Amino acid sequence: MLEKARHAKVLLHLALFLSYEAVDLVTSLNESIEDESKLEERVITKWTNFTLTIDSLYELINGWVDSDSTSLDWDEEIKRASELFSDMYNQADSMDSSDKMDLFKAAVELDQSAQKSAADPSIRMSPMESNIKDSNFYSTLLKNASQPSGAREIIMQTLQIILVAEHPLTIGSIDALLGTKNEELLVSALSGVIGIAAGGTITIIDPIFRDFLHDKETAGSFYIDEVQSHSLMARSCFIVMMEELTFNICRIDSSFVRNNEIPDMNKRISSFISSQLQYAAIHWHKHLIQSGEESRKSLSDLLGQFSRSPYPLYWMEVISALGKVRGSLCGLQDARDWLLDAQTKERVEDIHRFIVWFYTPISESIPHIYISSIPFGARDSILVQESIEAFPRTLSVTQGYLKQWKTHPNILKGSRPISAAVFSPNGRQIASCSDRTIQLWDVETGQALGEPLRGHRNRVTSVSFSPDGHRIASSSHDHTIRLWDAETGQALGEPLRSRRNRVTSVSFSPDGRRIASGSDDYRIRLRDAEILGELLRDHEDRVNSVSFSPDGRQIASGSHDDTIQLWDAETGQALGEPLRGHRNQVTSISFSPDGRRVASGSHDKTLRLWDVETGRALGEPLRGHTSWVTSVSFSPDGRRIASGSIDKTIRLWNAETGQELGEPLRGHTSWVTSVSFSPDGRQIASGSYDETIRLWYAETGQALGERPPDDHQSSSLSSNELQTSHSAIARSGWKSSSNSETIKLMDQKTGRRLVYWRRVPGEALRLEDARLENNGWVMEGNRLLHWVPPSMECSIDIAQFRCGSQWKEVHEVEGRGPPT
């Protein structure tokens, strides 16, 4: 089929030079083309009668296609080839006779081999022979396409963009990224190898051509270096962003609403955010970190320019509108780690911390990037300092403000007991489950990333990241498994139901294609992560834990029946007898990185190690915990094992000797339910029923640095500030009171206080009826007034505050427009 497809491609190229009648001529000349002058004369003569129609080309190519093939929609491919024919016909007129002859001979030579292979499957070109024949054809094609003045550079840069783009782009977007106008040139010159897909995106339709461009030896002067291509794309992304980003890019009318409450938000995005700007805003960092060393200085300078206010704020508008805020955080960390320039590195880190700290307002409502984030930012933040000056007409925190960003916390504080906590594959985020929700956290700052993921109707028992970090699987006592988009937090498809039994554990396979789960019905289920089919196998009691081996070929399960069972992940068959040795239920299992051992934890207060090949226990049980072991985890290098227990401690063990390493890790005030190593093995995350996740240095067992005690200028408000002159009105647990100059809110449950000074000018607000939501939003009815960090207690001057329909005035100072 591959050779027939190759032949169909060659016939398409030959159509440049041959009329329908000339096909017979090619057949007769296949054995010899020594008389080139005669052949050229006859070909050029035939060219004057070039009358091959789209329908005849369709019929000609269709004869070489295996109609039974399911690898491609050949009807669609052939129709596309037919549509390309007219463009090819027009381009051929620009060639002189010698150019036509070169391309013709290369095509005929390749066509001869393709015909022989199609007729006799035993005949195949060697890789070297195939490369030489293809390279002759493609080199001639590119040489002819590059003849117009300046065409070569445009075409090669366009091919660079096409080759490294994260997804296909339209020719208009490519033009905008490169600052060129090449639509007619590109499509007509390379229409045999470049195709226009649905939606107008440009793709390389010939995979052999793609390989040719990446092969330095065969491509010669047409070789495209992937690293240099990423440098070009990164530079293009920065230029597009700095040219097209602007204040209030989506023309948002009011700050009182969330992005998803704007009825025509999708229309605004398509109308006001170009496709090239969308691409650049989402993907710039991916190209930056893959760029070449020779471009590091110039790209670092561009990033330095981009990191200066207001560009970061305008960029936040775009990623907020596109729902890509969470994904941008890892991108900023990647960019920071790539940078060598200390000043730019500091700026990028500052932007990252700004987004993490104000993730909720930034991701939920574009106007609140300005009116809710800038005022509460750390006073030593470079971005905040620049932005307060540029956008002055907003809130002003006069007491209780943040002096500096909080860094390296050792405690991530939730609001419910933690059932499980796992690191993302890149180690920069943690997913935890509590009660009925899943929460994502930024590891460096300890801040929760947005709202919890909601959808389960009962306790969530387990979470697992897909290997690429793009998806999260969760299991629950509501009898379901759910899949989530790790970037947007949106549920993916319908829940996977487990009849009427609680699902206790879930795990992605190493290739991300399958999901294993265990449940109360004594069974392990295997599901394809795409088509969601299932296989059922039995334990003798509830399954507590499931885990794939590193190569994805086996699954281990731990059960309430005190055993571990190994399974063939392909067939679903049990591998040997259950592994017996624990004297109580097995709660947790973990494969070693080499897949040769399994560690298990049990309610018998011990850990055990098992040889996967023989099924035998390795040595004596690991003893030390004084109560049930709830979780075990191998370190990425396989040298250590971490375990958590109902006894409120985490213990570290030598994986070879079984000896305990140092003293137990203490700090939790309730059961430890989960332990997990970071991918680099340097940290351990532990989840607990005390509603916290704690972070520890894996090598020393020490807790990561405590948060600085003096992060706020002041967190105490004087009693005078809380005196009320009017009777208090209770609103959703808050008290509010007012007089001519102040409005005060107090959380009656926690005692947290906010004091607003002076009246809001312009649009009337009923702050007396304001309430504070758990997620930090200060609401008046259904209107978003502003957001305040949940841990902050402060005094706020609202004299210059612009909100509602007036929020766009946030930048105005004596008639000055938004910064550029």
Side-chain angles (χ1 to χ4, degrees), residues 448-467:
L449 298 177
E451 289 293 292
L453 314 185
R454 304 181 189 277
H456 284 294
R457 298 182 178 182
N458 206 327
R459 177 172 170 259
V460 182
T461 56
S462 177
V463 287
S464 175
F465 274 98
S466 62

Side-chain angles (χ1 to χ4, degrees), residues 382-661:
I382 305 170
L383 178 62
V384 171
Q385 291 171 3
E386 294 175 347
S387 301
I388 285 178
E389 181 179 350
F391 302 93
R393 307 189 87 174
T394 184
L395 302 169
S396 176
V397 181
T398 59
Q399 189 173 3
Y401 55 77
L402 192 68
K403 294 174 64 177
Q404 59 188 26
W405 300 124
K406 299 178 181 179
T407 58
H408 302 299
N410 75 322
I411 303 176
L412 284 58
K413 295 183 178 180
S415 58
R416 294 288 188 276
I418 306 294
S419 300
V422 295
F423 281 96
S424 63
N426 62 15
R428 287 172 172 163
Q429 296 179 5
I430 287 175
S432 67
C433 53
S434 303
D435 196 20
R436 302 179 180 186
T437 65
I438 298 97
Q439 180 65 63
L440 289 171
W441 307 82
D442 180 80
V443 171
E444 287 191 5
T445 65
Q447 294 297 311
L449 298 177
E451 289 293 292
L453 314 185
R454 304 181 189 277
H456 284 294
R457 298 182 178 182
N458 206 327
R459 177 172 170 259
V460 182
T461 56
S462 177
V463 287
S464 175
F465 274 98
S466 62
D468 61 10
H470 294 163
R471 292 171 294 167
I472 298 169
S474 59
S475 60
S476 170
H477 281 180
D478 67 6
H479 313 153
T480 71
I481 296 167
R482 284 182 175 266
L483 294 176
W484 311 85
D485 186 308
E487 184 168 337
T488 66
Q490 296 298 309
L492 299 173
E494 293 298 315
L496 317 180
R497 302 192 180 277
S498 180
R499 298 182 181 179
R500 298 183 178 180
N501 296 283
R502 299 183 300 181
V503 187
T504 55
S505 180
V506 66
S507 175
F508 267 103
S509 63
D511 62 8
R513 295 173 56 193
R514 290 171 295 169
I515 297 170
S517 65
S519 64
D520 275 359
D521 63 359
Y522 315 165
R523 291 168 173 165
I524 293 92
R525 287 175 169 82
L526 274 176
R527 293 171 166 87
D528 187 293
E530 300 298 331
I531 64 173
L532 309 179
E534 64 179 49
L535 294 172
L536 309 182
R537 293 294 181 265
D538 294 321
H539 257 286
E540 293 182 3
D541 207 331
R542 183 178 72 203
V543 178
N544 295 321
S545 178
V546 292
S547 177
F548 275 94
S549 62
D551 62 8
R553 298 173 63 184
Q554 297 180 27
I555 296 170
S557 58
S559 171
H560 212 71
D561 64 11
D562 307 348
T563 71
I564 299 101
Q565 180 66 62
L566 297 174
W567 312 86
D568 187 303
E570 290 297 326
T571 66
Q573 298 298 312
L575 298 174
E577 294 297 312
L579 313 185
R580 303 183 186 278
H582 283 295
R583 298 183 178 182
N584 207 325
Q585 62 176 289
V586 179
T587 54
S588 179
I589 49 177
S590 175
F591 272 98
S592 61
D594 61 10
R596 298 172 60 187
R597 292 171 294 167
V598 167
S600 59
S602 169
H603 275 192
D604 66 8
K605 308 178 186 179
T606 72
L607 288 75
R608 278 186 173 269
L609 288 171
W610 308 85
D611 185 294
V612 170
E613 185 174 351
T614 66
R616 295 181 178 178
L618 298 172
E620 294 297 312
L622 281 59
R623 304 181 186 278
H625 284 293
T626 59
S627 189
W628 302 343
V629 178
T630 57
S631 182
V632 294
S633 177
F634 264 101
S635 63
D637 62 9
R639 294 170 49 219
R640 288 163 294 169
I641 298 170
S643 60
S645 170
I646 298 297
D647 65 12
K648 307 177 187 178
T649 70
I650 299 97
R651 292 174 186 260
L652 295 174
W653 312 82
N654 183 306
E656 292 297 328
T657 66
Q659 296 298 308
E660 188 172 356
L661 301 173

Side-chain angles (χ1 to χ4, degrees), residues 624-631 643-651 663-675 686-690 692 694 696:
H625 284 293
T626 59
S627 189
W628 302 343
V629 178
T630 57
S631 182
S643 60
S645 170
I646 298 297
D647 65 12
K648 307 177 187 178
T649 70
I650 299 97
R651 292 174 186 260
E663 293 296 312
L665 282 56
R666 303 183 186 276
H668 284 294
T669 59
S670 186
W671 304 350
V672 177
T673 56
S674 175
V675 290
S686 58
S688 169
Y689 262 40
D690 64 10
T692 70
R694 286 181 176 261
W696 315 82

Side-chain angles (χ1 to χ4, degrees), residues 58 84 108 196 237 285 304 366 477 492 509 517 533 633 638 663 744:
Y58 174 93
L84 292 174
V108 168
I196 303 177
C237 286
H285 57 87
I366 288 173
H477 281 180
L492 299 173
S509 63
S517 65
S633 177
E663 293 296 312
K744 301 124 181 177

Side-chain angles (χ1 to χ4, degrees), residues 742-767:
T742 64
I743 299 171
K744 301 124 181 177
L745 298 179
M746 177 186 290
D747 185 332
Q748 293 178 315
K749 182 178 179 181
T750 66
R752 182 183 172 205
R753 297 164 289 183
L754 296 179
V755 177
Y756 296 89
W757 294 87
R758 304 183 186 134
R759 293 292 186 183
V760 179
E763 188 160 347
L765 293 177
R766 294 182 56 80
L767 284 175

Side-chain angles (χ1 to χ4, degrees), residues 240-259:
V240 162
M241 287 193 291
M242 288 190 284
E243 287 180 349
E244 296 191 19
L245 288 170
T246 186
F247 176 74
N248 193 19
I249 194 168
C250 286
R251 316 293 196 268
I252 305 299
D253 299 316
S254 173
S255 67
F256 290 153
V257 296
R258 291 179 170 86
N259 296 345

